[in-house]
Amino acid sequence: MCLLALIGGMATGTTALYGTGLDFSSVFPRLSRVQATLLVGALSIGFVFAGRFGLDLVRSISAFATVIITCTTPWMVVMMLGYWTRRGWYDPEALQVFNRRQRGGRYWFAHGWNWRGVTAWWVSALTGVLFTNLPGQFVGPLGGLANGVDIGLPVSLVAAAVLFLTLLRLFPEPRAVYGPEGARLARTADVPVPPVTGPGDEGALSDPSATLPA
């Protein structure tokens, strides 16, 4: 039984580590998948040892999981609203710019960052953490405003939705990021698509005038 549990744990851990390394290399394109996976693995081992020998492991994991959920769920809201405002339309080729170590394209935004989504995410995540209330584990500065009830997650969800949609209205995204049917509940700006440069930049995506497929 111990061997079975060990093999099962290794299989689950390997899958989780690979997925995390893959995502990490997408966020930080300068790192290869191998480098990102090794870095994430080393950090994970460090956290495990720190939790085992330096902290109350069970309590720390519980608090950490709650904070992680509070911080990551707003990003899911931003992604779903982005999908909804785009009417489900994305350019698959343009999405590969980061993986190909290139620059430019319809999703390049500001130096590769969509600051509207990033701003909505970190502001709402920080707001949610401020309202988190885990007695004996972690209580945010505003965690006591709801009479001891942990409202960090719902606050972060609402904040992400309101802030992201507001930013889309105040600071329109380029028309090229939306499909032929246009945006839903969001304004757009007619700006040129920056050319794709970098390895293998030959093709339609390198044409600044390429805004939408016919």
Side-chain angles (χ1 to χ4, degrees):
M1 292 298 294
C2 292
L3 180 60
L4 183 61
L6 177 62
I7 295 175
M10 290 180 62
T12 303
T14 301
T15 304
L17 182 60
Y18 173 78
T20 305
L22 185 62
D23 293 339
F24 199 77
S25 65
S26 299
V27 176
F28 299 96
R30 292 188 178 182
L31 296 177
S32 66
R33 294 183 181 180
V34 175
Q35 292 172 331
T37 303
L38 290 175
L39 177 59
V40 171
L43 291 175
S44 301
I45 293 174
F47 281 126
V48 169
F49 275 94
R52 174 62 181 85
F53 298 106
L55 302 170
D56 184 338
L57 183 61
V58 175
R59 180 171 294 183
S60 299
I61 290 178
S62 176
F64 181 72
T66 301
V67 173
I68 284 293
I69 292 173
T70 303
C71 291
T72 56
T73 308
W75 184 247
M76 297 173 61
V77 173
V78 171
M79 295 293 288
M80 288 188 292
L81 286 176
Y83 181 87
W84 184 73
T85 56
R86 287 166 172 73
R87 302 179 187 273
W89 186 92
Y90 288 94
D91 183 350
E93 280 295 318
L95 290 174
Q96 302 304 315
V97 167
F98 292 98
N99 293 333
R100 295 169 180 167
R101 306 297 190 266
Q102 297 173 328
R103 301 168 63 89
R106 68 177 81 245
Y107 299 119
W108 188 246
F109 296 107
H111 304 287
W113 294 90
N114 186 341
W115 64 267
R116 303 163 189 80
V118 173
T119 301
W121 165 59
W122 73 260
V123 171
S124 58
L126 179 60
T127 304
V129 171
L130 293 177
F131 282 91
T132 299
N133 190 321
L134 300 174
Q137 301 179 44
F138 176 81
V139 178
L142 304 178
L145 295 182
N147 296 323
V149 178
D150 181 12
I151 59 173
L153 182 58
V155 166
S156 65
L157 294 176
V158 174
V162 172
L163 184 56
F164 184 54
L165 291 176
T166 301
L167 290 174
L168 289 181
R169 296 290 298 179
L170 296 178
F171 306 96
E173 292 181 322
R175 170 70 179 85
V177 305
Y178 296 95
E181 297 182 7
R184 176 190 284 136
L185 202 65
R187 297 169 56 213
T188 61
D190 292 323
V191 296
V193 176
V196 174
T197 59
D201 57 0
E202 299 82 4
L205 286 179
S206 62
D207 182 4
S209 63
T211 54
L212 286 173

